[in-house]
Amino acid sequence: MSDAVQPTAAEVRAAAEAVKTALDRHLAAVERRTGDDDPAVYEAFNELAAAAEEYDELLYDRYDEVTPFEIPGGDDTLPPYTGPEEPNALSVVIRRDYAVVEPQRLLAQAQRVEAVEEDGATADEGFDAASGTVHGALGVLFGEFEPDEIATRHKEFGLEEGDSTLWVTASDEPAEPGEWLETPFESIDPQRVVCRFDVSAVFDEESDDDLDDELDNDLGSDGETESLDPLDPLDADR
């Protein structure tokens, strides 16, 4: 990074002061907490995390130095919560990714659905409706089954799960009927996200790496497990 874009020493100092202030606010919120899910504590936590991350970045850019702060994964991608402390409404936004790994299975399942809807027509009679194409079959299945059921039975439909995420956002008042249907995903305010839950194979890989490290620690230098003392034989006279 060039000197022209490096933060100044004063900016780094100001970021450090912001961390101190955020620490005091977080402690005060914890001391005054009214329960396990006190929104004031949650907000103070996010403010402290944001301040610590900002300081860490400026410190590194200016002095090529790091801090021991570790910001928890997930929340670090969201700004501090600024929504209502007592939401009167909420929205749940879900994204689930799938890969179509068995198109024929997908088509067959969609044709079964259409066969029932067409008063007992059989698959041998053919279908000139939506189930004849992959994108049409998807429309048939997602129109027939709830998303949660498809998530549970995805293998039956020739699908393979990918990443998924669920966001819970807070609102002051419930939306009017039909208000957001034309643009359902454009009105999400990241600062009103109460919580989020992510599922990804990346997390499984990280867990596997941790397990491999633990196994390596249990192995000797030659790659074999350390020998254990044999159990003492049972005393038959006891």
mmCIF file of all heavy atoms in Angstrom, residues 87-94 166-175 180 184 187-189 192-195:
data_model
loop_
_atom_site.group_PDB
_atom_site.id
_atom_site.type_symbol
_atom_site.label_atom_id
_atom_site.label_comp_id
_atom_site.label_asym_id
_atom_site.label_seq_id
_atom_site.Cartn_x
_atom_site.Cartn_y
_atom_site.Cartn_z
ATOM 1 N N PRO A 87 -39.414 -5.550 17.954
ATOM 2 C CA PRO A 87 -40.052 -5.592 16.635
ATOM 3 C C PRO A 87 -41.516 -6.020 16.720
ATOM 4 O O PRO A 87 -41.872 -6.899 17.503
ATOM 5 C CB PRO A 87 -39.220 -6.650 15.888
ATOM 6 C CG PRO A 87 -37.934 -6.754 16.652
ATOM 7 C CD PRO A 87 -38.286 -6.468 18.071
ATOM 8 N N ASN A 88 -42.355 -5.368 15.927
ATOM 9 C CA ASN A 88 -43.753 -5.739 15.830
ATOM 10 C C ASN A 88 -44.019 -6.706 14.690
ATOM 11 O O ASN A 88 -45.111 -7.257 14.566
ATOM 12 C CB ASN A 88 -44.617 -4.489 15.627
ATOM 13 C CG ASN A 88 -44.593 -3.582 16.845
ATOM 14 O OD1 ASN A 88 -44.665 -4.054 17.974
ATOM 15 N ND2 ASN A 88 -44.463 -2.288 16.616
ATOM 16 N N ALA A 89 -43.018 -6.910 13.828
ATOM 17 C CA ALA A 89 -43.161 -7.823 12.690
ATOM 18 C C ALA A 89 -41.771 -8.293 12.286
ATOM 19 O O ALA A 89 -40.755 -7.697 12.654
ATOM 20 C CB ALA A 89 -43.860 -7.132 11.521
ATOM 21 N N LEU A 90 -41.729 -9.367 11.549
ATOM 22 C CA LEU A 90 -40.446 -9.868 11.059
ATOM 23 C C LEU A 90 -40.625 -10.488 9.688
ATOM 24 O O LEU A 90 -41.723 -10.881 9.300
ATOM 25 C CB LEU A 90 -39.838 -10.880 12.036
ATOM 26 C CG LEU A 90 -40.633 -12.145 12.368
ATOM 27 C CD1 LEU A 90 -40.357 -13.262 11.372
ATOM 28 C CD2 LEU A 90 -40.294 -12.627 13.776
ATOM 29 N N SER A 91 -39.531 -10.552 8.951
ATOM 30 C CA SER A 91 -39.503 -11.219 7.652
ATOM 31 C C SER A 91 -38.414 -12.283 7.700
ATOM 32 O O SER A 91 -37.337 -12.051 8.259
ATOM 33 C CB SER A 91 -39.198 -10.229 6.522
ATOM 34 O OG SER A 91 -40.230 -9.271 6.390
ATOM 35 N N VAL A 92 -38.702 -13.441 7.136
ATOM 36 C CA VAL A 92 -37.732 -14.529 7.060
ATOM 37 C C VAL A 92 -37.378 -14.729 5.589
ATOM 38 O O VAL A 92 -38.243 -15.061 4.777
ATOM 39 C CB VAL A 92 -38.296 -15.833 7.660
ATOM 40 C CG1 VAL A 92 -37.269 -16.960 7.548
ATOM 41 C CG2 VAL A 92 -38.695 -15.622 9.121
ATOM 42 N N VAL A 93 -36.129 -14.490 5.252
ATOM 43 C CA VAL A 93 -35.662 -14.604 3.871
ATOM 44 C C VAL A 93 -34.749 -15.813 3.783
ATOM 45 O O VAL A 93 -33.775 -15.920 4.532
ATOM 46 C CB VAL A 93 -34.909 -13.331 3.433
ATOM 47 C CG1 VAL A 93 -34.465 -13.457 1.989
ATOM 48 C CG2 VAL A 93 -35.811 -12.108 3.607
ATOM 49 N N ILE A 94 -35.066 -16.732 2.874
ATOM 50 C CA ILE A 94 -34.327 -17.983 2.764
ATOM 51 C C ILE A 94 -33.795 -18.138 1.338
ATOM 52 O O ILE A 94 -34.505 -17.881 0.371
ATOM 53 C CB ILE A 94 -35.218 -19.190 3.097
ATOM 54 C CG1 ILE A 94 -35.789 -19.072 4.503
ATOM 55 C CG2 ILE A 94 -34.447 -20.506 2.963
ATOM 56 C CD1 ILE A 94 -36.793 -20.160 4.849
ATOM 57 N N LEU A 166 -30.436 -18.375 5.908
ATOM 58 C CA LEU A 166 -31.717 -17.889 6.401
ATOM 59 C C LEU A 166 -31.477 -16.614 7.185
ATOM 60 O O LEU A 166 -30.642 -16.591 8.092
ATOM 61 C CB LEU A 166 -32.394 -18.947 7.276
ATOM 62 C CG LEU A 166 -33.777 -18.622 7.858
ATOM 63 C CD1 LEU A 166 -34.564 -19.909 8.074
ATOM 64 C CD2 LEU A 166 -33.676 -17.883 9.191
ATOM 65 N N TRP A 167 -32.179 -15.548 6.798
ATOM 66 C CA TRP A 167 -32.046 -14.258 7.481
ATOM 67 C C TRP A 167 -33.383 -13.891 8.124
ATOM 68 O O TRP A 167 -34.436 -14.000 7.499
ATOM 69 C CB TRP A 167 -31.669 -13.152 6.493
ATOM 70 C CG TRP A 167 -30.292 -13.272 5.909
ATOM 71 C CD1 TRP A 167 -29.586 -14.420 5.689
ATOM 72 C CD2 TRP A 167 -29.462 -12.202 5.456
ATOM 73 N NE1 TRP A 167 -28.373 -14.136 5.126
ATOM 74 C CE2 TRP A 167 -28.271 -12.778 4.974
ATOM 75 C CE3 TRP A 167 -29.619 -10.831 5.414
ATOM 76 C CZ2 TRP A 167 -27.231 -12.016 4.446
ATOM 77 C CZ3 TRP A 167 -28.588 -10.059 4.885
ATOM 78 C CH2 TRP A 167 -27.410 -10.645 4.428
ATOM 79 N N VAL A 168 -33.320 -13.446 9.368
ATOM 80 C CA VAL A 168 -34.497 -12.943 10.073
ATOM 81 C C VAL A 168 -34.327 -11.440 10.235
ATOM 82 O O VAL A 168 -33.370 -10.981 10.864
ATOM 83 C CB VAL A 168 -34.669 -13.618 11.448
ATOM 84 C CG1 VAL A 168 -35.896 -13.057 12.156
ATOM 85 C CG2 VAL A 168 -34.785 -15.134 11.290
ATOM 86 N N THR A 169 -35.234 -10.666 9.650
ATOM 87 C CA THR A 169 -35.150 -9.209 9.732
ATOM 88 C C THR A 169 -36.333 -8.656 10.510
ATOM 89 O O THR A 169 -37.438 -9.198 10.444
ATOM 90 C CB THR A 169 -35.123 -8.580 8.325
ATOM 91 O OG1 THR A 169 -36.353 -8.857 7.656
ATOM 92 C CG2 THR A 169 -33.972 -9.146 7.511
ATOM 93 N N ALA A 170 -36.098 -7.582 11.234
ATOM 94 C CA ALA A 170 -37.120 -6.973 12.087
ATOM 95 C C ALA A 170 -37.767 -5.793 11.387
ATOM 96 O O ALA A 170 -37.133 -5.079 10.613
ATOM 97 C CB ALA A 170 -36.502 -6.523 13.409
ATOM 98 N N SER A 171 -39.063 -5.578 11.699
ATOM 99 C CA SER A 171 -39.819 -4.465 11.123
ATOM 100 C C SER A 171 -40.612 -3.768 12.219
ATOM 101 O O SER A 171 -40.938 -4.373 13.245
ATOM 102 C CB SER A 171 -40.783 -4.959 10.033
ATOM 103 O OG SER A 171 -40.110 -5.695 9.041
ATOM 104 N N ASP A 172 -40.896 -2.499 11.973
ATOM 105 C CA ASP A 172 -41.740 -1.758 12.915
ATOM 106 C C ASP A 172 -43.195 -2.187 12.796
ATOM 107 O O ASP A 172 -43.898 -2.317 13.800
ATOM 108 C CB ASP A 172 -41.626 -0.249 12.663
ATOM 109 C CG ASP A 172 -40.217 0.256 12.918
ATOM 110 O OD1 ASP A 172 -39.737 0.113 14.049
ATOM 111 O OD2 ASP A 172 -39.603 0.780 11.972
ATOM 112 N N GLU A 173 -43.648 -2.416 11.548
ATOM 113 C CA GLU A 173 -45.033 -2.796 11.310
ATOM 114 C C GLU A 173 -45.075 -3.852 10.207
ATOM 115 O O GLU A 173 -44.209 -3.883 9.336
ATOM 116 C CB GLU A 173 -45.874 -1.576 10.883
ATOM 117 C CG GLU A 173 -45.943 -0.469 11.916
ATOM 118 C CD GLU A 173 -46.689 -0.877 13.182
ATOM 119 O OE1 GLU A 173 -47.482 -1.840 13.104
ATOM 120 O OE2 GLU A 173 -46.483 -0.228 14.221
ATOM 121 N N PRO A 174 -46.075 -4.718 10.227
ATOM 122 C CA PRO A 174 -46.221 -5.698 9.140
ATOM 123 C C PRO A 174 -46.434 -4.995 7.804
ATOM 124 O O PRO A 174 -47.035 -3.921 7.740
ATOM 125 C CB PRO A 174 -47.462 -6.512 9.546
ATOM 126 C CG PRO A 174 -47.628 -6.265 11.015
ATOM 127 C CD PRO A 174 -47.105 -4.875 11.272
ATOM 128 N N ALA A 175 -45.929 -5.615 6.740
ATOM 129 C CA ALA A 175 -46.108 -5.042 5.407
ATOM 130 C C ALA A 175 -47.558 -5.191 4.968
ATOM 131 O O ALA A 175 -48.260 -6.116 5.380
ATOM 132 C CB ALA A 175 -45.185 -5.749 4.414
ATOM 133 N N TRP A 180 -44.704 -5.909 -1.250
ATOM 134 C CA TRP A 180 -43.335 -6.147 -1.731
ATOM 135 C C TRP A 180 -43.237 -7.280 -2.749
ATOM 136 O O TRP A 180 -42.138 -7.698 -3.123
ATOM 137 C CB TRP A 180 -42.401 -6.447 -0.566
ATOM 138 C CG TRP A 180 -42.908 -7.472 0.415
ATOM 139 C CD1 TRP A 180 -43.452 -7.226 1.628
ATOM 140 C CD2 TRP A 180 -42.898 -8.904 0.271
ATOM 141 N NE1 TRP A 180 -43.797 -8.404 2.255
ATOM 142 C CE2 TRP A 180 -43.468 -9.449 1.444
ATOM 143 C CE3 TRP A 180 -42.467 -9.777 -0.723
ATOM 144 C CZ2 TRP A 180 -43.613 -10.828 1.634
ATOM 145 C CZ3 TRP A 180 -42.621 -11.145 -0.541
ATOM 146 C CH2 TRP A 180 -43.179 -11.659 0.624
ATOM 147 N N PRO A 184 -39.393 -8.692 -4.073
ATOM 148 C CA PRO A 184 -39.375 -9.249 -2.710
ATOM 149 C C PRO A 184 -38.022 -9.191 -2.010
ATOM 150 O O PRO A 184 -37.976 -9.243 -0.791
ATOM 151 C CB PRO A 184 -39.807 -10.704 -2.924
ATOM 152 C CG PRO A 184 -39.456 -10.993 -4.342
ATOM 153 C CD PRO A 184 -39.663 -9.721 -5.090
ATOM 154 N N SER A 187 -35.800 -4.971 -0.627
ATOM 155 C CA SER A 187 -36.069 -4.096 0.513
ATOM 156 C C SER A 187 -35.395 -4.578 1.792
ATOM 157 O O SER A 187 -35.716 -4.105 2.875
ATOM 158 C CB SER A 187 -37.583 -4.006 0.745
ATOM 159 O OG SER A 187 -38.126 -5.300 0.992
ATOM 160 N N ILE A 188 -34.467 -5.510 1.686
ATOM 161 C CA ILE A 188 -33.797 -6.035 2.880
ATOM 162 C C ILE A 188 -32.766 -5.026 3.371
ATOM 163 O O ILE A 188 -31.871 -4.626 2.631
ATOM 164 C CB ILE A 188 -33.110 -7.380 2.578
ATOM 165 C CG1 ILE A 188 -34.148 -8.411 2.132
ATOM 166 C CG2 ILE A 188 -32.347 -7.888 3.792
ATOM 167 C CD1 ILE A 188 -33.556 -9.730 1.692
ATOM 168 N N ASP A 189 -32.908 -4.614 4.613
ATOM 169 C CA ASP A 189 -31.965 -3.686 5.238
ATOM 170 C C ASP A 189 -31.021 -4.496 6.118
ATOM 171 O O ASP A 189 -31.443 -5.054 7.140
ATOM 172 C CB ASP A 189 -32.725 -2.662 6.084
ATOM 173 C CG ASP A 189 -31.796 -1.613 6.695
ATOM 174 O OD1 ASP A 189 -30.568 -1.772 6.581
ATOM 175 O OD2 ASP A 189 -32.308 -0.648 7.288
ATOM 176 N N ARG A 192 -31.130 -4.293 9.849
ATOM 177 C CA ARG A 192 -32.297 -4.804 10.585
ATOM 178 C C ARG A 192 -32.292 -6.333 10.670
ATOM 179 O O ARG A 192 -33.289 -6.929 11.052
ATOM 180 C CB ARG A 192 -33.590 -4.315 9.933
ATOM 181 C CG ARG A 192 -33.850 -2.830 10.213
ATOM 182 C CD ARG A 192 -35.143 -2.357 9.585
ATOM 183 N NE ARG A 192 -35.454 -1.002 10.050
ATOM 184 C CZ ARG A 192 -36.501 -0.678 10.803
ATOM 185 N NH1 ARG A 192 -37.346 -1.617 11.182
ATOM 186 N NH2 ARG A 192 -36.714 0.559 11.184
ATOM 187 N N VAL A 193 -31.183 -6.937 10.306
ATOM 188 C CA VAL A 193 -31.071 -8.395 10.407
ATOM 189 C C VAL A 193 -30.852 -8.770 11.875
ATOM 190 O O VAL A 193 -29.856 -8.396 12.485
ATOM 191 C CB VAL A 193 -29.916 -8.921 9.544
ATOM 192 C CG1 VAL A 193 -29.724 -10.422 9.764
ATOM 193 C CG2 VAL A 193 -30.199 -8.647 8.066
ATOM 194 N N VAL A 194 -31.798 -9.481 12.441
ATOM 195 C CA VAL A 194 -31.705 -9.901 13.841
ATOM 196 C C VAL A 194 -30.724 -11.053 13.983
ATOM 197 O O VAL A 194 -29.896 -11.083 14.897
ATOM 198 C CB VAL A 194 -33.092 -10.316 14.362
ATOM 199 C CG1 VAL A 194 -32.991 -10.809 15.801
ATOM 200 C CG2 VAL A 194 -34.073 -9.162 14.264
ATOM 201 N N CYS A 195 -30.810 -12.010 13.079
ATOM 202 C CA CYS A 195 -29.893 -13.149 13.112
ATOM 203 C C CYS A 195 -29.885 -13.805 11.744
ATOM 204 O O CYS A 195 -30.779 -13.569 10.922
ATOM 205 C CB CYS A 195 -30.289 -14.155 14.194
ATOM 206 S SG CYS A 195 -31.983 -14.783 14.011
#
